[in-house]
Amino acid sequence: SRVFRIKQLLASAAHLLRQASSGATVAASAMYFSGNYGAELQPSPTAAYYYQRAPGTEVGTPGGFPRSESMMSGVSTSSRVIAEHEAIRQRYKRLQPPEADEDEKDYRTRVHTLNSTNLRAIFKTVFPDDGNVDHGPAGLKEEQAKEYLKFHGKNCITPPPKRNIWLRLLEAMFGGMFNILLWTCVVAEVALLVAFNSKGEKKAIDATPEGREDEKGEEEGDYVTPIILSVVIVMAALLQWYAELSAEAAMDALQQMGSVAKVPTIRRTSKGERIDADLDQQDLVPGDVIRLKEGDRIPADVRILSCSDGMEVDNSALTGESVPEPRVPKTEKGGTSPTEARNLAYYGTVVLKGNATCLVHATGDNTYLGKIAASINSSRPVSSLEKQIHHFVHIIAGVAIFIGLASLAANFFSSVKRTWPDILQNAAAALFAQVPEGLLPTVTISLMIAGEQMLKREVLVRKIDAIETLGCVTVFCSDKTGTLTKGEMCLQDIVVPRNGNPASGMDVVCREEKSGEFPKAAVQKALEDITLGGVLNNASSRKEVLDKDGNVTGMAWSGSPTEVAIMNACADCQGGVDAPAELKARPENRKLFEIPFNSENKWMLTMHGNQQKATLYLKGAPDRVMKFCTVNNDPAGKEQIEKAMGGLMTQARRVLAIAKKELGPGEIPAKPEGTSQADCNFPLQGFQFLGLYGIEDPPKDKVDTAVLKAQAAGVKVVMVTGDHPETARAIAKRINILPQENEKVFIDGEDFSVIEGSRLENRVPKGDKFGDDEPEENVEWWKKATKHARVFARVSPIHKQVIVYAYQTYGYGGIGDMCAMTGDGVNDAPALKAAQVGVAMGIRGTEVAKDAADIVLKNDDFSNIVDGIEQGRLSSENLQKSIMYTLCSKVPQVAPTFAELFGVPPALTVAQVLLIDIGTDIWTAIAYALQPAESKLMDRPPRHPELEKLVNWKVLLYSYGYVGQLQMIFCWIMFFTAVPGVWQLYQEADSPNNWSREDKAIDTRGMTVYYWTLVLGQIAAAISTTTKMQSVFCSYGLPNCTLNFMFLLEIALGLLAIFAPFMWAWFETGKLEVNSILLPLIALVGICFIEEVRKFIARRMEENGMFGAKEVESSDEAEGTDFSSTSESDSDEKKLLC
């Protein structure tokens, strides 16, 4: 990029020189392209010439751009734009450290260390040194802002590139191994039809009218198969395409809901006159002077020029910590990290308290948030469903090719003499019959249904195959703030001295269990003083709540989260939301003076009353407040207070103390003044200690039960947070991530239950991910950590990503966990992208987090995603059952081809096979998408894709070696017994080529019985495969109405093939007697009965502990491990064999 820029500059210079009409132009060009890149902040002499006072501007003003009558008058517009943009680039470059690269990817700036003079020179903007822009000209000139906008672009983060929707449709149709296999079948079918236009031997010798009708029907039917198969593929692709486009549209709507309101901005006209404007966020440029107030979402990265005392911002979206961070306008020292600078505020964060005047210094992709968004460029891990389908295609392709070749040989050596076109078509049909054509629509529709059901629970699925992956998740890494907790401070405990004397002990007043509220102060007098003080000594204010359209939806307290938490609770104790206004309106509570909270004092003081009698309320950090209290000289009282404080802190509470002091005549100054104890003109000693406030970011409702539900399903929930270890530990115990007692796990003297980020510094991988060359010590450490850890605290964004990689590499006994990651902040985005399933919060989540995620929780409810695990498992389970059902018929379909080698009359035609596969099986397979869950779906460990494939030997054994064999046996029994004469044909052992018309009619009826028996056998297979262990007829039932309708459709289509003459011609079926229709019902009843017996024996074996499930569970609880063990796969094998 540097070489390209040099070439561009040289070309522009040559262009300027060619068009130069005066020496001034040459001088201007020399200024722009001079090599004075090392200058700190002083412009070169030629630059000074360029920025000399233009006509109509004041001396010393960063005077905009030269006018047309200036030195640039002879330069073309395009060349001047290039020159102006290069000047902007060079000035903007001075914000970077000297060692920064031209295209620096990390967030590096010196803007927080520069004084006002330097900032004005770099941005060519205007503002006073004190940052007070209430009056007078300030900000950029309008023409400057337009040029800056052209250079920097819109103030918005470039979203991830969206692929063309039509290319995505083509990929859905033709991409993927399974699609390739299906299209290969279609092309091969069409190629055979084109290459061999002659008819089979049977049609050649049958010149009767019925024979000619058969010939016509087969000719028409030959084209049915590729047409229907093509339609199935295209429809499945359209469904998947539509589902993902719908999810994108919902995502876009969700992003728009979070758009920022207009930003108060100060600019100047070309004559330097002040303009106060409300601009759209995207129109802001570096150099703009803006105003921010409490509650505003910061629209760009800004340098604070001035702000109110005690200003606070919420940086949890960037840091993951919910503690408010103070902001001041003071210039930072050189070497201070931008993320630690208190005079900077970042795009996407929120002003919690106070107001400020700010200078925009970075917009769009150049912001801190934008840099992180650009760094998330790793590819999404391949979903487990893609892996499963790929594995299945290899199995089916192998089976199909083997069957096709075997069928080719069987047809060649058969007693039925066929032409080569017929032999090849029969072999191709046998090959195609092994391919489950309904798999794609079954997968798509099943996942779409699951996606719709999850959307009803406010869970937006952006990529539908993430649902199936979610069902395979073995470990759930979750951020704490805003995900497991509410993300807002709440007063949980009020501690007051017993009988007003701390030495007597401290009483803890908690919220009532049923109502969740504190007792009223009128009922519990001990709360009267401390809650009154909490209302009067409070910096929050009552403000209107607006919806996205600007309509007022209600009122709420606004300000610092800590202040709002105290006000909400104390107001409730005092009588409700209207109590604060009533209390403040009383003469004795009129506010006379206030010292706001600041980081130096760490307390806030208010004075209330009149000149005769006043009350001081002091609230802040307990150690600072205690110094002003009489109890500070009482060792017994201090001990009781410190004991109470320790109890609150072990519960992860943020503790504040409050005290009061009565002032009488002579102690109240006429004009109270002061900012600290040193300069107050009234006494600040002798305060009465009123009590303590215990504040926390509480867990969300139902999170504790959701964690238990996940653990019962074999999913390990791990908290990954940037918060303090003890805070994280306390919250983890409350929501069941850690046990209530003996939660620490010591191995070699090291606690692996809660791991701090500092312990990860030397454990990060050498490359981007863990490889085979990692030190053995680190490998063993990570194996212990992934097995025992439940909390990772004080971790950085890069640590979160490393933790995800560690679980994927060393978890699950070294096989690697299927990892899901939840989060809402920018700091969570890299880990969201790295996980197999990334889950972002819809309300609190940043755009970066949502873009990196596969699933978005629209209502930020963690419990919903645990329900999503059940949906994912159900989708995977139904897909596996659908495949099992589809594969069952493959054995009886191919058996007649090989039976002909032993002189058995033809029992099933290619057309009848396709009638089963395309006419009924495909739709029944799709109906499995609506199948409800079995009772114990969430009571067993997840299916790990590396240990148990979606289609494995157990599925093949069930379909090919068990149910398929039962179907084949019943089909042969009915073939020889239900139609008189078939057995005689077999005994005569005469070639079908020599049969009479009556013999052919008998064989046609026999084939029809075989086909009809197979139809009923497939209905039995469908009923049987709806459950794996649970009894269908005793407990589960037939709840899937769509599947039940498909049964009726299969029966109707089968009877149509038996009784409709037009079907006889197409599918070589014939009319049957009533007993020949009823007798095959034995196959339906027999297969269902045998399956019920198998399930009964399996349940008894499970109850007797023969599967090892109980042993796995108990060992997991004892060792604190995940649910991975070698006995788990053995258990599954025993279940299947049973």
Side-chain angles (χ1 to χ4, degrees):
S1 61
R2 191 184 297 267
V3 171
F4 173 78
R5 186 172 288 111
I6 292 173
K7 290 181 178 179
Q8 187 181 45
L9 295 180
L10 290 174
S12 300
H15 184 64
L16 285 171
L17 291 172
R18 284 195 301 269
Q19 297 190 10
S21 60
S22 67
T25 305
V26 177
S29 301
M31 181 279 296
Y32 284 116
F33 305 113
S34 63
N36 189 21
Y37 288 87
E40 181 70 8
L41 289 173
Q42 299 300 322
S44 63
T46 49
Y49 170 74
Y50 173 70
Y51 286 115
Q52 66 184 350
R53 182 171 62 89
T57 59
E58 299 178 3
V59 176
T61 300
F65 297 93
R67 300 182 180 180
S68 58
E69 67 267 24
S70 70
M71 61 187 177
M72 297 297 290
S73 59
V75 184
S76 69
T77 302
S78 60
S79 300
R80 198 181 89 186
V81 168
I82 293 175
E84 289 172 348
H85 285 190
E86 178 60 20
I88 296 171
R89 190 183 69 82
Q90 289 299 327
R91 292 199 307 273
Y92 196 74
K93 183 181 176 183
R94 293 169 186 160
L95 293 175
Q96 302 289 324
E99 69 276 8
D101 293 334
E102 185 75 17
D103 298 315
E104 184 67 52
K105 292 183 178 181
D106 293 333
Y107 188 80
R108 307 184 69 182
T109 182
R110 298 188 302 135
V111 69
H112 54 295
T113 65
L114 303 178
N115 58 33
S116 299
T117 302
N118 291 336
L119 291 174
R120 285 192 290 265
I122 290 175
F123 292 103
K124 312 307 291 181
T125 189
V126 171
F127 58 85
D129 288 339
D130 62 2
N132 185 354
V133 294
D134 292 339
H135 306 285
L140 297 170
K141 287 188 175 181
E142 287 285 3
E143 56 266 30
Q144 281 180 282
K146 290 178 181 178
E147 291 298 329
Y148 283 12
L149 189 62
K150 291 178 183 177
F151 178 77
H152 293 285
K154 293 285 188 179
N155 177 32
C156 53
I157 295 175
T158 303
K162 291 186 178 181
R163 295 162 56 212
N164 184 281
I165 60 173
W166 304 112
L167 290 177
R168 291 167 59 186
L169 176 59
L170 290 175
E171 183 180 343
M173 272 185 207
F174 301 102
M177 288 291 294
F178 199 74
N179 271 337
I180 293 172
L181 182 62
L182 292 179
W183 282 118
T184 302
C185 293
V186 173
V187 172
E189 282 270 11
V190 174
L192 285 172
L193 290 173
V194 173
F196 302 106
N197 201 24
S198 61
K199 305 297 174 258
E201 186 68 24
K202 181 178 180 181
K203 307 305 182 291
I205 67 170
D206 192 356
T208 62
E210 292 84 356
R212 287 192 293 270
E213 185 67 24
D214 289 347
E215 181 179 346
K216 179 182 176 182
E218 184 167 324
E219 182 178 356
E220 294 174 355
D222 285 341
Y223 291 94
V224 171
T225 304
I227 291 174
I228 292 181
L229 191 52
S230 300
V231 169
V232 167
I233 301 170
V234 171
M235 290 303 297
L238 286 172
L239 285 172
Q240 179 180 347
W241 182 66
Y242 171 77
E244 294 191 0
L245 288 184
S246 299
E248 278 191 9
M251 188 69 187
D252 291 339
L254 196 63
Q255 301 283 36
Q256 291 174 5
M257 288 175 60
S259 60
V260 180
K262 291 185 179 296
V263 183
T265 309
I266 305 168
R267 285 184 177 172
R268 294 174 292 147
T269 66
S270 58
K271 296 182 179 180
E273 298 172 350
R274 178 188 177 101
I275 301 175
D276 288 289
D278 291 330
L279 301 181
D280 289 333
Q281 171 188 307
Q282 62 180 5
D283 293 331
L284 294 179
V285 296
D288 269 329
V289 176
I290 64 173
R291 296 175 182 272
L292 297 174
K293 64 181 185 302
E294 183 180 294
D296 283 349
R297 186 175 291 274
I298 298 171
D301 283 6
V302 298
R303 163 71 187 269
I304 297 174
L305 303 177
S306 66
C307 65
S308 57
D309 290 338
M311 178 187 174
E312 293 178 345
V313 295
D314 177 11
N315 278 351
S316 60
L318 300 178
T319 64
E321 298 184 39
S322 57
V323 178
E325 298 188 16
R327 285 296 176 262
V328 294
K330 181 181 177 181
T331 301
E332 295 282 357
K333 296 179 180 179
T336 304
S337 169
T339 55
E340 297 177 358
R342 294 195 170 188
N343 60 2
L344 296 182
Y346 297 100
Y347 172 55
T349 60
V350 178
V351 179
L352 295 175
K353 177 183 175 183
N355 52 68
T357 300
C358 307
L359 173 70
V360 175
H361 72 84
T363 57
D365 292 336
N366 290 322
T367 61
Y368 183 61
L369 191 148
K371 290 286 188 180
I372 294 180
S375 68
I376 309 172
N377 54 9
S378 60
S379 60
R380 168 72 58 200
V382 178
S383 71
S384 67
L385 183 60
E386 292 176 89
K387 293 180 180 178
Q388 302 303 302
I389 296 297
H390 193 269
H391 175 260
F392 176 58
V393 167
H394 280 84
I395 293 177
I396 291 301
V399 172
I401 292 172
F402 172 77
I403 294 296
L405 293 175
S407 177
L408 181 68
N411 273 271
F412 182 77
F413 293 106
S414 172
S415 59
V416 181
K417 301 304 178 183
R418 296 183 173 92
T419 64
W420 271 108
D422 283 338
I423 291 175
L424 289 175
Q425 285 190 3
N426 287 347
L431 186 152
F432 303 153
Q434 300 304 311
V435 179
E437 300 88 351
L439 178 63
L440 277 183
T442 301
V443 171
T444 304
I445 294 175
S446 177
L447 296 180
M448 285 182 64
I449 291 170
E452 288 296 324
Q453 291 174 341
M454 292 176 72
L455 189 59
K456 292 178 182 178
R457 299 182 180 182
E458 299 297 306
V459 180
L460 174 63
V461 181
R462 300 186 62 199
K463 191 169 178 59
I464 60 173
D465 61 357
I467 299 174
E468 193 275 340
T469 308
L470 186 62
C472 299
V473 162
T474 59
V475 63
F476 220 118
C477 297
S478 177
D479 180 42
K480 178 182 75 72
T481 304
T483 305
L484 298 173
T485 64
K486 293 181 179 179
E488 58 186 36
M489 305 304 288
C490 180
L491 181 61
Q492 296 290 87
D493 307 282
I494 300 177
V495 184
V496 293
R498 188 172 300 155
N499 301 321
N501 181 13
S504 301
M506 304 292 291
D507 293 327
V508 180
V509 181
C510 302
R511 294 179 180 272
E512 296 176 354
E513 186 174 348
K514 291 184 178 180
S515 65
E517 299 178 353
F518 285 104
K520 302 298 180 184
V523 177
Q524 196 161 341
K525 294 297 184 181
L527 296 178
E528 179 66 36
D529 284 345
I530 192 171
T531 55
L532 177 62
V535 169
L536 298 180
N537 184 291
N538 202 289
S540 62
S541 58
R542 194 80 171 161
K543 291 189 176 182
E544 296 178 341
V545 178
L546 305 178
D547 62 15
K548 61 179 182 178
D549 298 322
N551 301 318
V552 178
T553 59
M555 301 289 290
W557 295 105
S558 176
S560 165
T562 302
E563 298 292 289
V564 170
I566 294 174
M567 176 61 85
N568 279 325
C570 293
D572 186 59
C573 288
Q574 287 289 333
V577 294
D578 297 327
E582 296 175 1
L583 291 172
K584 292 178 181 180
R586 295 177 184 176
E588 64 271 22
N589 294 334
R590 182 173 65 91
K591 185 186 290 187
L592 302 177
F593 180 65
E594 175 182 353
I595 300 178
F597 180 92
N598 60 60
S599 57
E600 294 182 2
N601 291 336
K602 293 190 177 180
W603 48 257
M604 173 184 178
L605 182 138
T606 56
M607 179 186 294
H608 305 267
N610 50 51
Q611 291 298 316
Q612 301 302 317
K613 182 179 180 181
T615 304
L616 296 175
Y617 286 100
L618 183 70
K619 180 185 71 193
D623 58 329
R624 299 295 180 93
V625 172
M626 293 269 288
K627 293 179 180 179
F628 300 101
C629 297
T630 55
V631 73
N632 197 43
N633 299 319
D634 180 4
K638 284 182 63 177
E639 182 181 357
Q640 291 296 325
I641 294 173
E642 290 172 355
K643 182 179 178 181
M645 287 171 52
L648 293 177
M649 290 179 179
T650 57
Q651 301 178 63
R653 305 288 199 262
R654 183 185 181 192
V655 182
L656 293 181
I658 187 168
K660 76 171 185 178
K661 176 181 176 63
E662 303 287 349
L663 296 180
E667 294 181 305
I668 308 169
K671 184 179 180 181
E673 295 178 345
T675 58
S676 64
Q677 182 183 13
D679 58 0
C680 282
N681 59 353
F682 50 88
L684 281 182
Q685 288 295 335
F687 276 79
Q688 175 191 352
F689 183 80
L690 295 181
L692 302 170
Y693 298 120
I695 306 167
E696 70 164 356
D697 177 11
K700 290 182 178 179
D701 298 334
K702 301 187 292 184
V703 165
D704 53 348
T705 56
V707 170
L708 289 176
K709 184 177 180 181
Q711 291 170 344
V715 180
K716 179 166 56 180
V717 181
V718 178
M719 180 190 294
V720 183
T721 177
D723 217 335
H724 192 277
E726 291 307 315
T727 302
R729 184 188 294 273
I731 294 294
K733 292 175 70 173
R734 289 174 58 188
I735 60 177
N736 302 313
I737 291 179
L738 284 173
Q740 297 298 319
E741 297 179 357
N742 302 323
E743 77 277 9
K744 295 186 178 182
V745 179
F746 286 97
I747 301 176
D748 298 330
E750 191 174 5
D751 180 15
F752 277 92
S753 60
V754 178
I755 297 177
E756 293 187 46
S758 57
R759 292 163 61 184
L760 304 181
E761 293 297 337
N762 297 324
R763 308 292 184 183
V764 296
K766 293 182 178 180
D768 293 337
K769 298 181 180 181
F770 289 99
D772 296 333
D773 57 344
E774 300 296 330
E776 187 63 29
E777 179 186 356
N778 284 1
V779 171
E780 291 301 319
W781 189 90
W782 275 116
K783 286 182 178 179
K784 296 173 186 176
T786 55
K787 183 177 181 180
H788 299 289
R790 292 298 181 271
V791 176
F792 290 89
R794 284 293 187 202
V795 294
S796 65
I798 189 62
H799 286 154
K800 291 188 176 185
Q801 193 174 19
V802 168
I803 291 167
V804 170
Y805 287 145
Y807 275 108
Q808 292 172 340
T809 306
Y810 304 115
Y812 216 80
I815 298 172
D817 276 298
M818 295 295 294
C819 187
M821 175 73 195
T822 65
D824 60 350
V826 176
N827 60 319
D828 300 320
L832 291 174
K833 192 68 177 286
Q836 277 99 345
V837 181
V839 184
M841 302 295 111
I843 299 175
R844 287 178 52 90
T846 61
E847 287 81 357
V848 176
K850 294 173 190 174
D851 285 334
D854 303 291
I855 294 174
V856 177
L857 299 181
K858 295 177 68 176
N859 61 354
D860 291 8
D861 190 348
F862 175 81
S863 61
N864 284 346
I865 199 61
V866 178
D867 294 335
I869 294 177
E870 183 173 5
Q871 288 290 343
R873 288 191 182 184
L874 179 59
S875 299
S876 177
E877 187 97 344
N878 287 342
L879 182 56
Q880 189 177 60
K881 292 176 180 178
S882 173
I883 294 172
M884 290 165 63
Y885 158 77
T886 304
L887 296 181
C888 285
S889 65
K890 303 309 175 186
V891 173
Q893 283 178 357
V894 78
T897 301
F898 300 105
E900 289 181 13
L901 293 173
F902 303 98
V904 177
L908 198 68
T909 67
V910 173
Q912 290 166 359
V913 170
L914 296 176
L915 179 61
I916 293 172
D917 285 351
I918 304 295
T920 55
D921 275 8
I922 187 173
W923 313 114
T924 306
I926 293 173
Y928 273 86
L930 295 165
Q931 197 67 25
E934 292 186 56
S935 59
K936 293 187 177 182
L937 180 65
M938 292 295 284
D939 292 339
R940 56 177 182 259
R943 177 184 61 82
H944 197 294
E946 297 299 326
L947 288 179
E948 184 183 355
K949 304 292 185 183
L950 189 65
V951 179
N952 48 45
W953 70 267
K954 295 177 285 185
V955 171
L956 298 178
L957 178 61
Y958 180 89
S959 299
Y960 289 133
Y962 171 47
V963 176
Q965 297 296 324
L966 292 176
Q967 288 181 341
M968 182 183 68
I969 291 170
F970 279 110
C971 284
W972 283 126
I973 292 173
M974 294 303 125
F975 177 72
F976 286 113
T977 61
V979 178
V982 173
W983 181 253
Q984 286 77 6
L985 285 178
Y986 171 64
Q987 287 182 324
E988 291 173 0
D990 193 8
S991 171
N993 300 88
N994 301 325
W995 283 350
S996 66
R997 181 169 178 77
E998 181 62 28
D999 292 337
K1000 292 177 182 178
I1002 293 173
D1003 185 54
T1004 298
R1005 289 195 294 272
M1007 288 191 294
T1008 305
V1009 167
Y1010 193 101
Y1011 159 76
W1012 173 241
T1013 305
L1014 183 51
V1015 168
L1016 296 176
Q1018 275 297 85
I1019 293 176
I1023 293 173
S1024 300
T1025 52
T1026 53
T1027 66
K1028 292 182 177 179
M1029 298 280 285
Q1030 193 173 352
S1031 172
V1032 174
F1033 299 102
C1034 297
S1035 59
Y1036 186 77
L1038 298 172
N1040 188 347
C1041 295
T1042 304
L1043 185 62
N1044 298 339
F1045 176 76
M1046 290 300 134
F1047 295 159
L1048 298 177
L1049 184 64
E1050 287 194 46
I1051 293 173
L1053 189 59
L1055 293 175
L1056 191 66
I1058 295 172
F1059 292 106
F1062 71 91
M1063 296 285 283
W1064 301 345
W1066 282 354
F1067 300 104
E1068 299 184 51
T1069 56
K1071 187 176 181 179
L1072 298 177
E1073 299 295 334
V1074 174
N1075 65 326
S1076 297
I1077 296 174
L1078 296 178
L1079 195 60
L1081 290 173
I1082 296 174
L1084 172 62
V1085 176
I1087 293 174
C1088 289
F1089 175 77
I1090 294 171
E1091 257 294 89
E1092 285 294 300
V1093 172
R1094 181 196 68 82
K1095 293 173 183 176
F1096 174 77
I1097 296 173
R1099 290 194 301 273
R1100 284 299 178 91
M1101 293 180 67
E1102 184 181 43
E1103 291 171 3
N1104 294 332
M1106 298 180 66
F1107 291 158
K1110 294 180 180 179
E1111 289 81 354
V1112 173
E1113 183 177 353
S1114 61
S1115 65
D1116 180 80
E1117 291 176 356
E1119 297 177 9
T1121 67
D1122 56 26
F1123 282 74
S1124 59
S1125 70
T1126 55
S1127 61
E1128 182 180 314
S1129 58
D1130 295 339
S1131 168
D1132 289 339
E1133 293 180 8
K1134 292 177 183 177
K1135 288 182 182 180
L1136 178 88
L1137 291 175
C1138 174

